[in-house]
Amino acid sequence: MHDDAAAGAEVAVLRLGHRPGRDERMTTHVGLTARALGADRVWIPDNAGQSRDTVADITDRFGGPFEVDLTDSPKAIIRNWEGQVVHLTMYGERVQDVEGEIRERHRDGESVLVVVGSEKVSFDVYEEADWNVGVTNQPHSEVAGLAVFLDRLFEGDELESDWEDAEQRVVPMATGKRVVPAESEEDGGAGSVGDVDPESES
């Protein structure tokens, strides 16, 4: 996590699989969720270049640090990872039962690789993982599972992150939408309405 106040060992996300023409939005949202909720980097399949470009553009405009890379060898990343490998799957152990140990080991300096599947995940991934973790053990979106896991890993501290080298920032508002230059001191007010750059919305 890039905020020094809650910094620990690296947290990375690996997207397994990408079906062109079907998974563009989901793969993009895996990357955006990883960035927004405290991960340091994401790897996505090498046939998802458009998703990579979108996540990189958001990082350029709304700040980092955050790295997004393509890979043609996702299983090699799992095999060679020096730290905990957490595979998110509805068939895994309940997140509420294992999050404490994962978090403690991370705080003690052990990096975390969070593996998020797309199509059917081969059994060797289950065997390579240190943890197979289920969020609810019910069918759900992999983006939702990633968001819940990262929030539990960081215990909400990721919501207070400071974003470096941002060009723009969103002004929190009770009503309306406003995006301003990052260096602006403008704050939102209850009921205030502002213009928003439509290109800033994912």
Side-chain angles (χ1 to χ4, degrees), residues 117-135:
S118 172
E119 50 196 328
K120 186 176 180 180
V121 175
S122 59
F123 192 69
D124 58 324
V125 174
Y126 289 81
E127 293 181 319
E128 290 278 356
D130 298 292
W131 306 91
N132 290 293
V133 177
V135 175

Side-chain angles (χ1 to χ4, degrees), residues 1-197:
M1 187 173 173
H2 56 75
D3 185 3
D4 290 341
E10 180 182 18
V11 175
V13 174
L14 173 64
R15 168 69 158 169
L16 272 185
H18 175 82
R19 295 162 291 187
R22 179 174 177 179
D23 285 345
E24 272 77 13
R25 186 173 180 85
M26 192 66 74
T27 297
T28 298
H29 283 196
V30 166
L32 294 177
T33 299
R35 173 191 168 273
L37 294 183
D40 299 292
R41 68 185 303 167
V42 65
W43 280 287
I44 58 179
D46 61 352
N47 62 343
Q50 183 176 351
S51 294
R52 187 273 309 273
D53 292 346
T54 299
V55 177
D57 177 65
I58 290 294
T59 302
D60 288 343
R61 289 193 285 136
F62 287 91
F66 184 76
E67 297 181 27
V68 51
D69 296 303
L70 299 178
T71 179
D72 61 357
S73 303
K75 291 185 179 180
I77 293 174
I78 296 173
R79 286 194 304 271
N80 297 326
W81 186 257
E82 296 182 358
Q84 303 180 81
V85 176
V86 178
H87 171 222
L88 298 183
T89 167
M90 63 179 280
Y91 305 105
E93 297 179 272
R94 301 192 313 164
V95 64
Q96 59 267 43
D97 294 337
V98 299
E99 62 177 285
E101 184 175 349
I102 297 171
R103 184 166 52 244
E104 182 177 355
R105 288 169 59 178
H106 175 249
R107 287 177 174 170
D108 286 343
E110 196 168 355
S111 59
V112 178
L113 177 66
V114 186
V115 180
V116 180
S118 172
E119 50 196 328
K120 186 176 180 180
V121 175
S122 59
F123 192 69
D124 58 324
V125 174
Y126 289 81
E127 293 181 319
E128 290 278 356
D130 298 292
W131 306 91
N132 290 293
V133 177
V135 175
T136 77
N137 299 115
Q138 296 290 322
H140 62 279
S141 161
E142 57 265 39
V143 174
L146 176 62
V148 169
F149 176 78
L150 289 175
D151 187 62
R152 290 200 171 225
L153 177 65
F154 295 123
E155 296 187 293
D157 288 341
E158 80 285 355
L159 302 179
E160 302 296 337
S161 292
D162 293 323
W163 300 97
E164 300 176 7
D165 301 320
E167 297 175 0
Q168 300 171 293
R169 66 179 178 87
V170 174
V171 179
M173 305 178 72
T175 305
K177 305 175 183 179
R178 188 179 295 279
V179 177
V180 299
E183 65 274 11
S184 172
E185 297 182 359
E186 178 179 352
D187 292 320
S192 59
V193 179
D195 297 326
V196 65
D197 175 5

